[in-house]
Amino acid sequence: MNVQIIADSACDLPNSIIEQYGIKRVPITVHLNDTDYLDAETIDPKQVYDAMRDGKAPKTSQVSPQTFKDLFEAYAQAGQSCIYLAFSSELSGTYQTAKMMQQEVLEQYPDFNLHIMDTHCASLGYGLVVLEAAKMAQSNHSLDTILEVATYYKDHVEHIFTVDDLEYLKRGGRVSKTAAFVGTMLKIKPLLHVEDGKLIPLEKIRGSKKVLNRMVDIMKERGEDFSQQTIAISHGDDVKRAEQLSTIIQNTFQPKEIIIHTIGSAIGAHSGPGTIALFFLNKPMK
């Protein structure tokens, strides 16, 4: 490949896609039970979700500066052009760390062609950006063309998601203790989306069955031409509901492809078990 695509593990892409398209994945660290794990490498998401169900509160930390420096130096020495597509800077400091290390490495290797892009995306919304860039790279498109496509995707990918229990958002400071208690008692399911890389509450739905249909309604309101799209659904250890959502979408829109995958340990440590997230382009690229 002319261009190496780099992503961090918050993209939540399945290993099969990572390997198929030669994506270099950099792991975020997950702290659980006084042990540090590497997301997508040394810990399974189910371990995190089971621990959260048992009342544990896993933490995460961004990719270390040294990890980025070692990686960038290795590609610089090999003369390999790279694009690092980063997890939203509004949700992690990983993008800023990568930018700092880029500056250091370029001082030593001024001819190194390294571009770093803040996708403002998360989970498989981020994954769709990475996947499209990796497809372009594998077909040996130019770096500028790949950047143009990645920019379009990051600007047009929608994130619509719900959590099963407001308790997990409360732990992460997303809602107050009172709101979490009342929401749980009334079986209220919050719908959220991502705007400029930030998690923004959208509306509240009473009853989990209504949530999936409302997600599809929002998809209809915001998107178009799904027959040419790859749709992504990620879930917090709840493949049954993810497949229910997939069936509704398949019957309603007949998209080109639907990817379903578990939300990884890094994102899942904050969203919790039972999360269901839907990703699509609001305007497909022509």
Side-chain angles (χ1 to χ4, degrees):
M1 291 185 292
N2 294 329
V3 180
Q4 174 64 52
I5 301 300
I6 306 169
D8 52 73
S9 59
C11 69
D12 286 347
L13 286 169
N15 287 336
S16 57
I17 289 178
I18 294 291
E19 293 163 8
Q20 180 180 353
Y21 292 101
I23 300 162
K24 176 59 182 178
R25 181 174 58 197
V26 188
I28 291 170
T29 299
V30 179
H31 312 279
L32 179 64
N33 297 329
D34 299 320
T35 303
D36 288 347
Y37 299 94
L38 299 179
D39 182 26
E41 292 186 12
T42 61
I43 188 169
D44 186 274
K46 186 161 177 53
Q47 289 176 249
V48 173
Y49 294 127
D50 286 345
M52 294 178 81
R53 290 182 181 111
D54 288 339
K56 302 287 177 58
K59 306 290 184 184
T60 59
S61 59
Q62 65 190 54
V63 179
S64 72
Q66 193 62 48
T67 297
F68 275 128
K69 188 173 184 181
D70 291 346
L71 180 66
F72 294 161
E73 283 181 343
Y75 284 124
Q77 290 164 7
Q80 172 69 65
S81 296
C82 299
I83 300 173
Y84 168 49
L85 299 168
F87 179 32
S88 175
S89 63
E90 296 290 345
L91 302 173
S92 168
T94 293
Y95 168 74
Q96 286 89 348
T97 300
K99 290 294 287 183
M100 286 191 297
M101 293 303 102
Q102 177 189 35
Q103 189 172 347
E104 282 194 24
V105 172
L106 287 177
E107 288 173 3
Q108 189 176 359
Y109 301 94
D111 296 329
F112 179 31
N113 200 353
L114 170 64
H115 290 258
I116 298 177
M117 180 186 292
D118 180 359
T119 66
H120 283 158
C121 296
S123 190
L124 279 179
Y126 170 26
L128 287 177
V129 181
V130 173
L131 175 58
E132 198 60 30
K135 287 179 178 178
M136 300 287 287
Q138 194 172 73
S139 297
N140 284 321
H141 286 275
S142 69
L143 188 144
D144 286 344
T145 300
I146 297 169
L147 286 173
E148 181 183 345
V149 170
T151 299
Y152 186 92
Y153 264 69
K154 81 175 183 64
D155 289 343
H156 290 276
V157 68
E158 295 277 355
H159 304 57
I160 308 296
F161 67 101
T162 184
V163 294
D164 190 50
D165 192 338
L166 282 161
E167 172 67 19
Y168 304 116
L169 289 179
K170 186 205 77 177
R171 290 179 191 172
R174 299 297 179 191
V175 295
S176 70
K177 291 181 180 180
T178 303
F181 175 75
V182 173
T184 302
M185 293 298 289
L186 296 178
K187 302 296 183 186
I188 288 174
K189 303 298 180 186
L191 269 182
L192 302 95
H193 69 151
V194 170
E195 193 174 287
D196 297 325
K198 300 176 184 176
L199 303 184
I200 307 292
L202 201 55
E203 54 191 70
K204 295 176 182 177
I205 310 293
R206 184 167 296 181
S208 58
K209 290 182 180 178
K210 294 179 181 177
V211 170
L212 299 186
N213 287 326
R214 181 60 188 139
M215 292 173 81
V216 175
D217 288 343
I218 293 172
M219 186 177 174
K220 190 181 299 182
E221 293 165 6
R222 295 192 177 189
E224 59 182 57
D225 198 12
F226 297 111
S227 65
Q228 300 305 309
Q229 286 200 46
T230 296
I231 309 300
I233 299 170
S234 58
H235 64 91
D237 196 26
D238 193 350
V239 70
K240 183 178 178 180
R241 286 181 74 216
E243 288 176 346
Q244 287 173 351
L245 178 59
S246 175
T247 298
I248 299 170
I249 290 170
Q250 186 64 53
N251 292 338
T252 306
F253 303 114
Q254 294 82 49
K256 182 175 74 173
E257 179 185 16
I258 300 178
I259 296 172
I260 301 176
H261 194 54
T262 307
I263 297 170
S265 302
I267 299 280
H270 300 283
S271 60
T275 299
I276 301 291
L278 169 63
F279 310 96
F280 57 92
L281 291 186
N282 53 35
K283 188 177 181 182
M285 194 169 188
K286 301 299 183 185

